[in-house]
Amino acid sequence: MAHGFAFFDTPIGCCGIAWSADGVAWLQLPMADIGAMRARILKAFPDAREAAPSHLARTAIHAIGRLLGGEKTTLGEIVLDESGVPAFHRRVYAVTRAIAPGETLTYGEIAQRVGEPGAARAVGQAMGANPWPIIVPCHRVLAANGRPGGFSAHGGLATKERLLAIEGVTLNKAPSFFDWDPALASRPAAKRALG
């Protein structure tokens, strides 16, 4: 099946999209340069040709732009080409697509919702293989206790945090050494600890 692909600007940078007659086949988050993005799309779809976006792709581009611009939109109207996607992944992606902007679920909660309690690791693997980040909002899927978990898209956890921040979600993270607050140094116990 022939695929087309194109690049488009968003509030987080240039993204790539590939499509077929059946729907959106791939979404590429920003990378270091367009050449790397083009190579990644062509690796997934060697038959793809750069072209003006189809109607389905234009619908996706506009909806993604609205979401990344801060609008609370679900992207549910975007038609996906799921050919070649394993059945378990399809079930996981359907549950993930139902997570509203600004909300999150854990890998374990998704596993339960697809009827596979105890399959949190398999859910994580499905998220890592997600060909449609943002459309299938894997950034809204967290590890237990609100920890970020993983994110396989370019930029890793920093990209995940940025996408969640756009939607008003702040992650529970343990403070690092670099998060030190100088105001704490004025407290007596802190002064003793600091010597």
Side-chain angles (χ1 to χ4, degrees):
M1 179 181 302
H3 292 86
F5 72 94
F7 301 102
F8 61 101
D9 290 322
T10 75
I12 66 166
C14 181
C15 291
I17 189 167
W19 65 88
S20 71
D22 294 331
V24 175
W26 185 276
L27 185 74
Q28 179 62 56
L29 293 180
M31 293 180 71
D33 62 66
I34 287 185
M37 293 171 64
R38 182 177 286 110
R40 190 143 194 258
I41 291 169
L42 290 172
K43 182 176 180 184
F45 304 102
D47 69 331
R49 299 291 174 256
E50 197 162 351
S54 69
H55 174 72
L56 288 168
R58 280 194 314 274
T59 298
I61 289 167
H62 292 302
I64 291 164
R66 288 194 316 270
L67 178 72
L68 294 177
E71 195 175 307
K72 299 281 187 182
T73 183
T74 64
L75 307 183
E77 73 275 15
I78 298 174
V79 178
L80 301 179
D81 177 351
E82 296 182 310
S83 58
V85 176
F88 176 76
H89 289 201
R90 287 182 190 205
R91 292 182 5 240
V92 167
Y93 298 155
V95 170
T96 304
R97 283 192 90 181
I99 305 170
E103 302 293 326
T104 61
L105 288 176
T106 66
Y107 297 105
E109 289 170 328
I110 291 179
Q112 288 189 355
R113 291 184 185 196
V114 298
E116 302 271 348
R121 178 166 278 143
V123 169
Q125 291 169 346
M127 292 296 108
N130 177 11
W132 310 283
I134 300 174
I135 300 170
V136 173
C138 49
H139 62 280
R140 297 180 192 149
V141 183
L142 306 177
N145 300 321
R147 293 185 323 264
F151 197 65
S152 61
H154 185 75
L157 290 178
T159 299
K160 185 173 193 169
E161 290 175 19
R162 184 170 182 200
L163 293 171
L164 287 169
I166 289 169
E167 297 178 8
V169 175
T170 303
L171 296 176
N172 295 333
K173 298 187 314 182
S176 75
F177 174 78
F178 299 103
D179 293 327
W180 179 73
D181 183 352
L184 295 177
S186 65
R187 295 184 183 164
K191 283 184 179 178
R192 282 193 303 275
L194 293 172

